[in-house]
Amino acid sequence: MARFTVETRDGDRIEVTGRDGATLLKAMRKAGVEEVVAQCGGGCACATCHVYVTPPEGVVLPQIGPGEARMLATSRHRTLSSRLSCQLKLEPALERMHVVIAPDDGGDF
C-alpha cells in the first residue's frame, strides 16, 4: 500500500492510500477525489487526468511512455513533473509522494 497526499485545485489536501499496482487515478477516485475528469476512463486517450507528481526524495518515477507523452503534449499546463494519473502505477517507493491536480485545459481534448 502506498499513502500519498493529493492537493486539489482549491489547495485542499487529501490523504490517499492505494494498493500496489493500482493506478494513481483509481486510488484517487476510490478516495473520493472527483476533480480528475479522466474523460477516456483511464485509457491514455486524453489528458484530463493530468497531475503534477513530486516523488519522495531519492525516488525516480518510471519513465513516461510514448502514449502518455503524446497526450501530455496537448496540455497547455505541462511541466517537468506532469504525469497522467491513469498511467502511473502505485508501488511502495511512492509512499509519501505529493500529487497536485493540474489546471483544467478547458476541454481541449
Side-chain angles (χ1 to χ4, degrees):
M1 299 288 267
R3 288 177 300 201
F4 56 95
T5 303
V6 176
E7 188 173 331
T8 67
R9 292 182 187 114
D10 293 333
D12 294 332
R13 291 176 182 239
I14 302 163
E15 294 299 316
V16 175
T17 301
R19 288 186 187 186
D20 294 343
T23 64
L24 179 56
L25 172 63
K26 285 185 181 186
M28 290 190 303
R29 285 275 174 88
K30 189 171 184 176
V33 179
E34 297 294 328
E35 211 169 40
V36 178
V37 176
Q39 222 169 12
C40 71
C44 197
C46 71
T48 60
C49 68
H50 180 191
V51 295
Y52 304 126
V53 178
T54 303
E57 189 172 331
V59 174
V60 177
L61 294 175
Q63 189 171 351
I64 293 175
E68 184 177 6
R70 271 192 307 278
M71 292 298 104
L72 284 170
T74 66
S75 176
R76 294 186 304 257
H77 303 288
R78 184 177 186 176
T79 70
L80 292 175
S81 65
S82 289
R83 294 303 299 255
L84 296 183
S85 61
C86 71
Q87 296 301 297
L88 189 58
K89 301 243 186 215
L90 297 177
E91 58 183 74
L94 296 179
E95 179 85 16
R96 298 182 321 276
M97 74 176 155
H98 184 79
V99 177
V100 178
I101 299 172
D104 187 356
D105 268 323
D108 290 348
F109 306 101

XYZ file of all heavy atoms in Angstrom:
808
model
N 0.843 -1.179 0.000
C 0.000 0.000 0.000
C 0.892 1.247 0.000
O 1.896 1.292 0.690
C -0.879 0.033 1.245
C -1.827 -1.146 1.379
S -3.173 -1.099 0.219
C -4.402 -0.275 1.157
N 0.485 2.222 -0.793
C 1.193 3.498 -0.833
C 0.258 4.588 -0.321
O -0.889 4.672 -0.738
C 1.640 3.811 -2.257
N 0.751 5.392 0.590
C -0.005 6.544 1.089
C 0.624 7.791 0.512
O 1.849 7.928 0.482
C 0.028 6.596 2.610
C -0.817 5.514 3.255
C -0.670 5.602 4.718
N 0.765 5.390 4.965
C 1.279 5.000 6.110
N 0.511 4.802 7.117
N 2.562 4.822 6.255
N -0.225 8.706 0.071
C 0.277 9.933 -0.526
C -0.743 11.048 -0.343
O -1.876 10.807 0.052
C 0.608 9.725 -2.009
C -0.545 9.201 -2.832
C -1.364 10.078 -3.534
C -0.802 7.847 -2.920
C -2.420 9.603 -4.300
C -1.849 7.360 -3.685
C -2.661 8.241 -4.371
N -0.329 12.259 -0.639
C -1.190 13.434 -0.497
C -1.573 13.947 -1.864
O -0.726 14.078 -2.749
C -0.445 14.548 0.276
O -0.035 14.038 1.530
C -1.335 15.761 0.480
N -2.860 14.249 -2.023
C -3.364 14.871 -3.246
C -3.801 16.286 -2.891
O -4.540 16.493 -1.932
C -4.568 14.095 -3.831
C -5.142 14.826 -5.043
C -4.155 12.690 -4.206
N -3.335 17.239 -3.674
C -3.734 18.632 -3.500
C -4.673 19.018 -4.632
O -4.323 18.890 -5.806
C -2.499 19.527 -3.495
C -2.788 20.956 -3.143
C -1.522 21.771 -2.991
O -0.458 21.217 -2.614
O -1.589 22.984 -3.272
N -5.867 19.458 -4.272
C -6.862 19.843 -5.277
C -6.526 21.217 -5.844
O -5.640 21.916 -5.343
C -8.279 19.879 -4.669
O -8.344 20.942 -3.716
C -8.648 18.546 -4.031
N -7.259 21.608 -6.854
C -7.048 22.925 -7.463
C -7.352 24.053 -6.480
O -6.824 25.151 -6.626
C -7.911 23.071 -8.719
C -7.466 22.170 -9.834
C -8.290 22.364 -11.095
N -7.926 21.378 -12.065
C -8.738 20.413 -12.492
N -9.977 20.338 -12.049
N -8.313 19.547 -13.375
N -8.178 23.783 -5.483
C -8.502 24.783 -4.456
C -7.492 24.809 -3.327
O -7.612 25.593 -2.396
C -9.889 24.514 -3.868
C -10.997 24.732 -4.870
O -10.810 25.543 -5.803
O -12.053 24.090 -4.730
N -6.512 23.902 -3.366
C -5.496 23.851 -2.328
C -5.821 22.921 -1.178
O -5.031 22.803 -0.233
N -6.973 22.247 -1.223
C -7.300 21.270 -0.193
C -6.360 20.075 -0.337
O -6.012 19.679 -1.453
C -8.749 20.790 -0.317
C -9.756 21.890 -0.049
O -9.430 22.827 0.713
O -10.867 21.812 -0.605
N -5.992 19.484 0.778
C -5.112 18.315 0.765
C -5.883 17.107 1.276
O -6.541 17.179 2.304
C -3.874 18.562 1.624
C -2.979 19.602 0.994
C -1.806 19.919 1.889
N -1.016 20.960 1.258
C 0.248 20.830 0.941
N 0.887 19.714 1.215
N 0.893 21.812 0.361
N -5.773 16.019 0.530
C -6.474 14.782 0.848
C -5.445 13.668 0.949
O -4.638 13.484 0.032
C -7.520 14.452 -0.242
C -8.511 15.596 -0.386
C -8.223 13.139 0.057
C -9.307 15.563 -1.676
N -5.478 12.943 2.057
C -4.589 11.794 2.223
C -5.242 10.594 1.544
O -6.408 10.286 1.781
C -4.350 11.507 3.699
C -3.589 12.604 4.405
C -2.195 12.855 3.838
O -1.469 11.874 3.569
O -1.847 14.033 3.661
N -4.480 9.917 0.690
C -4.994 8.798 -0.093
C -4.096 7.580 0.143
O -2.883 7.713 0.246
C -5.025 9.148 -1.604
C -5.444 7.952 -2.435
C -5.939 10.333 -1.856
N -4.722 6.428 0.224
C -3.991 5.162 0.301
C -4.436 4.315 -0.883
O -5.630 4.219 -1.169
C -4.308 4.412 1.607
O -3.949 5.256 2.700
C -3.538 3.117 1.694
N -3.482 3.736 -1.588
C -3.815 2.900 -2.739
C -3.010 1.613 -2.740
O -1.899 1.566 -2.214
N -3.586 0.602 -3.336
C -2.917 -0.699 -3.432
C -1.764 -0.652 -4.418
O -1.843 -0.010 -5.458
C -3.897 -1.760 -3.922
C -4.916 -2.147 -2.931
C -5.715 -3.283 -3.486
N -6.817 -3.569 -2.599
C -7.625 -4.573 -2.755
N -7.488 -5.383 -3.785
N -8.598 -4.773 -1.910
N -0.720 -1.393 -4.113
C 0.397 -1.524 -5.048
C -0.125 -2.106 -6.358
O -0.926 -3.038 -6.368
C 1.461 -2.456 -4.471
C 2.125 -1.876 -3.234
O 1.999 -0.664 -3.009
O 2.765 -2.651 -2.498
N 0.294 -1.520 -7.465
C -0.124 -1.981 -8.783
C -1.344 -1.262 -9.318
O -1.602 -1.285 -10.510
N -2.109 -0.605 -8.439
C -3.263 0.181 -8.898
C -2.752 1.484 -9.501
O -1.665 1.955 -9.164
C -4.200 0.488 -7.733
N -3.528 2.073 -10.385
C -3.114 3.361 -10.938
C -3.404 4.468 -9.933
O -4.286 4.355 -9.073
C -3.835 3.688 -12.255
O -5.237 3.835 -12.002
C -3.568 2.641 -13.325
N -2.659 5.522 -10.064
C -2.872 6.710 -9.251
C -4.317 7.198 -9.413
O -4.977 7.552 -8.438
C -1.869 7.777 -9.680
C -1.889 9.123 -8.993
C -1.744 8.992 -7.500
C -0.777 9.986 -9.564
N -4.824 7.168 -10.642
C -6.194 7.584 -10.926
C -7.198 6.775 -10.108
O -8.083 7.333 -9.459
C -6.497 7.440 -12.421
C -7.949 7.667 -12.847
C -8.381 9.104 -12.559
C -8.127 7.318 -14.312
N -7.070 5.453 -10.123
C -8.023 4.601 -9.393
C -7.972 4.857 -7.894
O -9.000 4.897 -7.227
C -7.776 3.127 -9.697
C -8.263 2.744 -11.072
C -8.122 1.269 -11.313
C -8.612 0.974 -12.728
N -8.642 -0.439 -13.010
N -6.777 5.040 -7.358
C -6.645 5.304 -5.926
C -7.302 6.640 -5.558
O -7.997 6.737 -4.543
C -5.179 5.299 -5.521
N -7.099 7.651 -6.400
C -7.717 8.957 -6.122
C -9.233 8.865 -6.205
O -9.943 9.398 -5.352
C -7.176 10.020 -7.080
C -5.746 10.382 -6.813
S -5.147 11.827 -7.723
C -5.458 11.376 -9.411
N -9.737 8.198 -7.223
C -11.190 8.031 -7.368
C -11.790 7.288 -6.182
O -12.821 7.675 -5.646
C -11.511 7.290 -8.667
C -11.352 8.127 -9.913
C -12.637 8.905 -10.152
N -12.555 9.845 -11.230
C -12.810 9.591 -12.499
N -13.124 8.377 -12.884
N -12.733 10.548 -13.386
N -11.123 6.219 -5.769
C -11.619 5.427 -4.643
C -11.656 6.260 -3.359
O -12.505 6.052 -2.501
C -10.755 4.184 -4.454
C -11.323 3.209 -3.466
C -10.579 1.902 -3.468
C -11.270 0.941 -2.520
N -10.658 -0.368 -2.535
N -10.735 7.212 -3.242
C -10.679 8.085 -2.066
C -11.660 9.250 -2.167
O -11.728 10.073 -1.262
C -9.260 8.605 -1.879
N -12.396 9.339 -3.283
C -13.391 10.393 -3.431
C -12.894 11.668 -4.081
O -13.592 12.681 -4.067
N -11.706 11.631 -4.659
C -11.179 12.802 -5.367
C -11.848 12.839 -6.738
O -11.515 12.051 -7.616
C -9.643 12.748 -5.498
C -9.129 13.958 -6.261
C -8.990 12.636 -4.131
N -12.804 13.728 -6.906
C -13.601 13.778 -8.133
C -13.112 14.821 -9.136
O -13.635 14.916 -10.236
C -15.067 14.068 -7.779
C -15.704 12.993 -6.930
C -15.842 11.661 -7.650
O -16.025 11.662 -8.884
O -15.752 10.633 -6.970
N -12.130 15.614 -8.771
C -11.659 16.704 -9.616
C -10.934 16.228 -10.879
O -10.817 16.963 -11.841
C -10.730 17.597 -8.786
C -10.742 19.024 -9.187
C -10.008 19.891 -8.174
O -8.950 19.489 -7.645
O -10.494 20.987 -7.918
N -10.452 15.008 -10.861
C -9.755 14.442 -12.012
C -10.808 13.851 -12.941
O -11.486 12.891 -12.592
C -8.743 13.367 -11.572
C -8.059 12.755 -12.771
C -7.726 13.967 -10.626
N -10.944 14.419 -14.123
C -12.027 14.057 -15.038
C -11.841 12.673 -15.646
O -12.747 11.861 -15.645
C -12.186 15.122 -16.156
C -13.239 14.704 -17.159
C -12.515 16.470 -15.538
N -10.687 12.390 -16.202
C -10.412 11.110 -16.873
C -11.508 10.793 -17.888
O -12.145 9.748 -17.838
C -10.237 9.985 -15.866
N -11.688 11.698 -18.814
C -12.736 11.593 -19.841
C -12.709 10.273 -20.600
O -13.744 9.738 -20.957
C -12.571 12.754 -20.825
C -13.825 13.401 -21.236
C -13.532 14.700 -21.989
O -12.405 14.990 -22.390
N -14.556 15.488 -22.167
N -11.523 9.724 -20.816
C -11.403 8.483 -21.589
C -11.538 7.244 -20.705
O -11.406 6.124 -21.201
C -10.089 8.456 -22.355
S -8.642 8.229 -21.301
N -11.756 7.439 -19.405
C -11.900 6.318 -18.499
C -10.577 5.701 -18.068
O -10.547 4.596 -17.548
N -9.493 6.382 -18.294
C -8.189 5.870 -17.880
C -7.474 5.084 -18.954
O -6.595 4.286 -18.665
N -7.829 5.338 -20.212
C -7.237 4.600 -21.320
C -6.101 5.304 -22.029
O -5.717 4.890 -23.128
N -5.558 6.360 -21.458
C -4.450 7.121 -22.056
C -4.827 7.663 -23.434
O -4.038 7.659 -24.368
C -3.176 6.277 -22.128
S -1.674 7.261 -22.397
N -6.092 8.109 -23.557
C -6.559 8.660 -24.823
C -6.955 10.131 -24.695
O -7.555 10.689 -25.599
C -7.748 7.845 -25.333
N -6.653 10.728 -23.555
C -6.878 12.159 -23.349
C -5.877 12.601 -22.283
O -5.066 11.802 -21.848
C -8.319 12.445 -22.912
S -8.741 11.917 -21.241
N -5.933 13.813 -21.858
C -5.033 14.263 -20.789
C -5.833 14.887 -19.655
O -5.329 15.741 -18.931
C -4.001 15.232 -21.334
N -7.062 14.465 -19.482
C -7.912 15.068 -18.454
C -7.677 14.478 -17.068
O -8.376 14.842 -16.121
C -9.403 14.975 -18.837
O -9.768 13.608 -18.992
C -9.689 15.746 -20.114
N -6.690 13.601 -16.928
C -6.290 13.104 -15.605
C -4.874 13.591 -15.281
O -4.172 13.013 -14.471
C -6.391 11.584 -15.527
S -5.195 10.691 -16.544
N -4.502 14.701 -15.896
C -3.175 15.299 -15.755
C -2.949 15.759 -14.308
O -3.768 16.454 -13.729
C -3.106 16.490 -16.721
C -1.821 17.229 -16.723
N -1.700 18.430 -17.372
C -0.608 16.983 -16.186
C -0.470 18.885 -17.245
N 0.214 18.012 -16.517
N -1.818 15.351 -13.753
C -1.418 15.761 -12.415
C 0.068 16.105 -12.416
O 0.797 15.764 -13.346
C -1.690 14.650 -11.365
C -3.175 14.385 -11.217
C -0.951 13.364 -11.703
N 0.487 16.789 -11.359
C 1.903 17.055 -11.122
C 2.330 16.162 -9.958
O 1.691 16.175 -8.913
C 2.143 18.517 -10.765
C 1.618 19.497 -11.787
C 0.763 20.518 -11.414
C 1.974 19.398 -13.121
C 0.282 21.434 -12.339
C 1.491 20.309 -14.063
C 0.651 21.327 -13.666
O 0.172 22.219 -14.574
N 3.384 15.406 -10.158
C 3.820 14.451 -9.147
C 5.210 14.823 -8.633
O 6.142 14.981 -9.416
C 3.845 13.011 -9.714
C 4.347 12.030 -8.671
C 2.468 12.611 -10.215
N 5.310 14.932 -7.317
C 6.605 15.088 -6.663
C 6.849 13.808 -5.881
O 6.175 13.551 -4.877
C 6.597 16.305 -5.707
O 6.236 17.469 -6.437
C 7.971 16.488 -5.069
N 7.776 12.978 -6.357
C 8.042 11.714 -5.660
C 8.810 11.975 -4.366
O 9.372 13.058 -4.175
C 8.884 10.932 -6.665
C 9.556 11.966 -7.485
C 8.617 13.149 -7.538
N 8.861 10.987 -3.488
C 9.680 11.126 -2.281
C 11.142 11.365 -2.672
O 11.587 10.943 -3.737
C 9.521 9.775 -1.582
C 8.279 9.182 -2.150
C 8.179 9.695 -3.542
N 11.866 12.012 -1.782
C 13.273 12.300 -2.047
C 14.038 11.024 -2.384
O 13.878 9.997 -1.728
C 13.901 12.970 -0.828
C 15.282 13.497 -1.095
C 15.816 14.329 0.053
O 15.016 14.948 0.764
O 17.044 14.332 0.213
N 14.825 11.085 -3.456
C 15.641 9.961 -3.883
C 14.936 8.955 -4.781
O 15.554 8.020 -5.253
N 13.632 9.155 -5.021
C 12.863 8.230 -5.859
C 12.688 8.844 -7.249
O 12.348 10.010 -7.385
C 11.476 7.932 -5.241
C 10.638 7.086 -6.179
C 11.640 7.246 -3.895
N 12.947 8.045 -8.270
C 12.744 8.473 -9.651
C 11.499 7.768 -10.177
O 11.364 6.548 -10.055
C 13.971 8.116 -10.528
C 13.736 8.490 -11.973
C 15.220 8.794 -9.982
N 10.584 8.534 -10.741
C 9.360 7.954 -11.301
C 9.676 7.123 -12.535
O 10.644 7.414 -13.251
C 8.376 9.057 -11.689
C 7.798 9.892 -10.556
C 6.936 11.009 -11.123
C 7.001 9.037 -9.598
N 8.848 6.124 -12.820
C 9.031 5.380 -14.071
C 8.960 6.335 -15.264
O 8.264 7.342 -15.226
C 7.852 4.404 -14.083
C 7.412 4.303 -12.670
C 7.725 5.626 -12.043
N 9.690 5.999 -16.298
C 9.741 6.832 -17.497
C 8.364 6.959 -18.145
O 7.572 6.019 -18.140
C 10.722 6.225 -18.495
C 11.017 7.105 -19.663
C 12.164 6.541 -20.494
O 12.840 5.596 -20.108
N 12.373 7.143 -21.643
N 8.094 8.107 -18.707
C 6.842 8.340 -19.432
C 6.888 7.566 -20.749
O 7.870 7.646 -21.492
C 6.642 9.844 -19.719
C 6.408 10.597 -18.410
C 5.500 10.082 -20.689
C 6.309 12.093 -18.568
N 5.827 6.825 -21.012
C 5.741 6.081 -22.259
C 5.330 6.977 -23.421
O 4.907 8.117 -23.223
N 5.436 6.479 -24.662
C 5.133 7.303 -25.830
C 3.681 7.784 -25.872
O 3.411 8.916 -26.263
C 5.461 6.412 -27.023
C 5.737 5.054 -26.495
C 5.916 5.155 -25.022
N 2.731 6.945 -25.475
C 1.330 7.362 -25.485
C 1.065 8.472 -24.489
O 0.377 9.455 -24.783
N 1.628 8.323 -23.308
C 1.470 9.352 -22.280
C 2.132 10.657 -22.730
O 1.573 11.740 -22.551
C 2.078 8.861 -20.963
C 1.880 9.812 -19.816
C 2.412 9.286 -18.487
O 3.059 8.202 -18.461
O 2.184 9.959 -17.471
N 3.295 10.555 -23.334
C 3.996 11.751 -23.826
C 3.164 12.480 -24.882
O 3.077 13.715 -24.872
C 5.363 11.369 -24.394
N 2.529 11.713 -25.779
C 1.682 12.337 -26.809
C 0.505 13.082 -26.183
O 0.166 14.179 -26.591
C 1.147 11.286 -27.778
C 2.037 11.011 -28.955
C 1.343 10.176 -30.033
N 0.744 8.945 -29.546
C 1.406 7.799 -29.334
N 2.700 7.746 -29.559
N 0.779 6.728 -28.906
N -0.128 12.462 -25.200
C -1.275 13.090 -24.554
C -0.864 14.332 -23.757
O -1.517 15.355 -23.826
C -2.000 12.104 -23.635
C -2.699 10.979 -24.358
S -4.005 11.549 -25.459
C -3.222 11.373 -27.054
N 0.241 14.239 -23.043
C 0.699 15.400 -22.270
C 1.135 16.547 -23.177
O 1.044 17.716 -22.790
C 1.841 15.003 -21.332
C 1.411 14.235 -20.093
C 2.625 13.684 -19.361
C 0.567 15.101 -19.179
N 1.580 16.236 -24.386
C 1.992 17.278 -25.329
C 0.820 18.177 -25.709
O 1.023 19.299 -26.169
C 2.614 16.654 -26.567
N -0.402 17.703 -25.499
C -1.581 18.514 -25.844
C -1.976 19.485 -24.737
O -2.842 20.321 -24.941
C -2.801 17.612 -26.148
O -3.193 16.932 -24.964
C -2.498 16.621 -27.259
N -1.337 19.380 -23.577
C -1.712 20.220 -22.438
C -0.940 21.538 -22.436
O 0.277 21.555 -22.582
C -1.451 19.489 -21.124
O -1.731 20.347 -20.040
N -1.667 22.611 -22.213
C -1.033 23.934 -22.074
C -0.308 24.053 -20.738
O 0.450 24.989 -20.535
C -2.088 25.033 -22.158
C -2.762 25.144 -23.491
C -3.692 26.356 -23.528
N -4.682 26.333 -22.468
C -5.962 25.993 -22.631
N -6.389 25.651 -23.821
N -6.795 26.009 -21.626
N -0.565 23.125 -19.815
C -0.045 23.224 -18.456
C 1.015 22.179 -18.137
O 1.297 21.917 -16.976
C -1.200 23.112 -17.456
C -2.254 24.140 -17.674
N -2.074 25.463 -17.374
C -3.499 24.034 -18.205
C -3.171 26.137 -17.687
N -4.034 25.287 -18.194
N 1.623 21.595 -19.149
C 2.631 20.556 -18.918
C 3.873 21.156 -18.269
O 4.333 22.236 -18.630
C 3.020 19.881 -20.227
C 3.988 18.740 -19.992
C 4.349 18.000 -21.236
N 5.157 16.837 -20.890
C 5.560 15.950 -21.758
N 5.241 16.074 -23.027
N 6.287 14.922 -21.357
N 4.405 20.426 -17.283
C 5.657 20.794 -16.625
C 6.537 19.545 -16.556
O 6.113 18.460 -16.969
C 5.425 21.319 -15.189
O 5.004 20.240 -14.363
C 4.400 22.454 -15.162
N 7.710 19.689 -15.994
C 8.598 18.539 -15.844
C 8.021 17.490 -14.897
O 8.390 16.325 -14.960
C 9.972 18.980 -15.351
C 10.787 19.801 -16.347
C 12.082 20.273 -15.701
C 11.082 18.983 -17.596
N 7.103 17.897 -14.015
C 6.513 16.946 -13.069
C 5.164 16.397 -13.540
O 4.483 15.688 -12.803
C 6.364 17.592 -11.685
O 5.448 18.657 -11.733
N 4.777 16.702 -14.776
C 3.488 16.255 -15.308
C 3.450 14.754 -15.547
O 4.396 14.170 -16.076
C 3.185 16.954 -16.641
O 2.874 18.311 -16.434
N 2.330 14.156 -15.173
C 2.043 12.756 -15.467
C 0.549 12.606 -15.684
O -0.242 13.438 -15.240
C 2.452 11.842 -14.295
C 3.927 11.781 -14.006
C 4.788 11.335 -15.175
N 4.496 10.008 -15.653
C 5.237 8.945 -15.433
N 6.335 9.032 -14.717
N 4.901 7.780 -15.948
N 0.170 11.541 -16.374
C -1.242 11.172 -16.454
C -1.484 10.184 -15.322
O -0.796 9.160 -15.233
C -1.576 10.540 -17.806
C -1.420 11.438 -19.022
C -1.868 10.687 -20.274
C -2.205 12.730 -18.868
N -2.453 10.488 -14.479
C -2.682 9.631 -13.310
C -3.145 8.234 -13.696
O -2.996 7.298 -12.915
C -3.663 10.290 -12.349
O -4.915 10.507 -12.937
N -3.652 8.064 -14.914
C -4.072 6.734 -15.365
C -2.882 5.863 -15.757
O -3.028 4.649 -15.925
C -5.051 6.836 -16.534
S -4.336 7.386 -18.097
N -1.707 6.442 -15.868
C -0.540 5.697 -16.335
C 0.488 5.412 -15.245
O 1.381 4.601 -15.443
C 0.148 6.457 -17.473
C -0.722 6.591 -18.705
C -1.119 5.228 -19.248
O -0.278 4.446 -19.671
N -2.411 4.944 -19.223
N 0.354 6.061 -14.106
C 1.330 5.870 -13.036
C 0.815 4.839 -12.041
O -0.231 5.021 -11.427
C 1.602 7.200 -12.333
C 2.739 7.221 -11.333
C 4.056 6.815 -11.984
C 2.859 8.592 -10.710
N 1.531 3.732 -11.919
C 1.145 2.645 -11.010
C 1.791 2.849 -9.637
O 2.956 3.239 -9.542
C 1.589 1.301 -11.580
C 0.991 1.025 -12.939
C 0.127 -0.169 -12.907
C -0.310 -0.471 -14.340
N -1.595 -0.976 -14.423
N 1.005 2.581 -8.619
C 1.493 2.737 -7.257
C 2.441 1.598 -6.893
O 2.262 0.464 -7.327
C 0.320 2.765 -6.283
C -0.641 3.932 -6.469
C -1.797 3.816 -5.495
C 0.073 5.261 -6.303
N 3.430 1.944 -6.094
C 4.399 0.983 -5.583
C 4.919 1.521 -4.251
O 4.793 2.714 -3.978
C 5.537 0.776 -6.577
C 6.281 2.055 -6.925
C 7.359 1.841 -7.958
O 7.033 1.663 -9.139
O 8.536 1.855 -7.550
N 5.482 0.660 -3.424
C 5.931 1.102 -2.097
C 6.885 2.302 -2.122
O 6.837 3.143 -1.236
C 6.617 -0.136 -1.517
C 5.952 -1.285 -2.200
C 5.647 -0.789 -3.596
N 7.722 2.408 -3.140
C 8.676 3.522 -3.217
C 7.980 4.877 -3.328
O 8.571 5.910 -3.021
C 9.620 3.330 -4.404
N 6.711 4.884 -3.754
C 5.996 6.149 -3.929
C 5.285 6.617 -2.659
O 4.588 7.631 -2.671
C 5.001 6.030 -5.082
C 5.642 5.783 -6.447
C 4.584 5.655 -7.530
C 6.636 6.890 -6.785
N 5.481 5.885 -1.576
C 4.942 6.293 -0.282
C 5.372 7.733 0.016
O 6.538 8.075 -0.153
C 5.480 5.337 0.801
C 5.044 5.645 2.196
C 3.682 5.052 2.542
O 3.211 4.158 1.815
O 3.100 5.483 3.527
N 4.425 8.559 0.397
C 4.631 9.967 0.757
C 4.846 10.887 -0.445
O 5.305 12.014 -0.288
C 5.772 10.120 1.766
C 5.521 9.432 3.082
C 6.633 9.637 4.092
N 7.994 9.629 3.591
C 8.727 8.542 3.379
N 8.227 7.351 3.608
N 9.964 8.645 2.953
N 4.521 10.443 -1.654
C 4.620 11.365 -2.786
C 3.543 12.443 -2.644
O 2.583 12.299 -1.890
C 4.488 10.641 -4.126
C 3.099 10.186 -4.471
S 3.083 9.449 -6.131
C 1.669 8.391 -5.969
N 3.728 13.521 -3.359
C 2.775 14.631 -3.341
C 2.240 14.794 -4.765
O 3.011 14.879 -5.719
C 3.460 15.916 -2.878
C 2.527 17.063 -2.737
N 1.703 17.218 -1.643
C 2.268 18.102 -3.548
C 0.985 18.314 -1.789
N 1.309 18.869 -2.938
N 0.927 14.828 -4.894
C 0.262 14.934 -6.200
C -0.590 16.183 -6.201
O -1.381 16.404 -5.282
C -0.632 13.684 -6.454
C -1.370 13.814 -7.761
C 0.198 12.414 -6.401
N -0.430 17.002 -7.224
C -1.243 18.207 -7.391
C -2.043 18.051 -8.672
O -1.475 17.728 -9.728
C -0.371 19.482 -7.466
C -1.227 20.714 -7.688
C 0.472 19.624 -6.205
N -3.351 18.274 -8.602
C -4.181 18.176 -9.797
C -3.909 19.385 -10.684
O -3.979 20.524 -10.231
C -5.664 18.071 -9.416
C -5.873 16.810 -8.571
C -6.547 18.052 -10.662
C -7.239 16.677 -7.967
N -3.567 19.119 -11.927
C -3.213 20.187 -12.878
C -4.439 21.031 -13.218
O -5.576 20.556 -13.128
C -2.628 19.573 -14.144
N -4.206 22.278 -13.649
C -5.348 23.106 -14.075
C -6.096 22.462 -15.216
O -5.514 21.725 -16.030
C -4.671 24.408 -14.545
C -3.335 24.429 -13.879
C -2.937 22.981 -13.744
N -7.372 22.733 -15.285
C -8.223 22.229 -16.352
C -7.864 22.925 -17.656
O -7.748 24.147 -17.699
C -9.688 22.490 -16.004
C -10.671 21.873 -16.960
O -10.255 21.288 -17.959
O -11.876 21.992 -16.681
N -7.670 22.159 -18.715
C -7.347 22.740 -20.016
C -8.590 23.216 -20.757
O -8.515 23.600 -21.920
C -6.574 21.740 -20.879
C -5.079 21.872 -20.720
O -4.584 23.007 -20.585
O -4.397 20.836 -20.707
N -9.739 23.104 -20.143
C -10.962 23.628 -20.755
C -11.549 22.765 -21.849
O -12.190 23.269 -22.751
N -11.322 21.480 -21.792
C -11.949 20.581 -22.767
C -11.311 20.595 -24.134
O -11.942 20.288 -25.131
N -10.031 20.927 -24.205
C -9.323 20.972 -25.490
C -8.987 19.587 -26.031
O -8.312 19.451 -27.022
C -8.038 21.785 -25.380
C -8.313 23.262 -25.207
O -9.461 23.670 -25.394
O -7.360 23.994 -24.883
N -9.436 18.538 -25.365
C -9.036 17.198 -25.769
C -10.108 16.604 -26.587
O -10.795 15.808 -26.489
C -8.679 16.367 -24.548
C -7.655 17.063 -23.722
C -7.997 17.743 -22.580
C -6.330 17.086 -24.127
C -7.049 18.411 -21.841
C -5.387 17.755 -23.377
C -5.747 18.418 -22.243
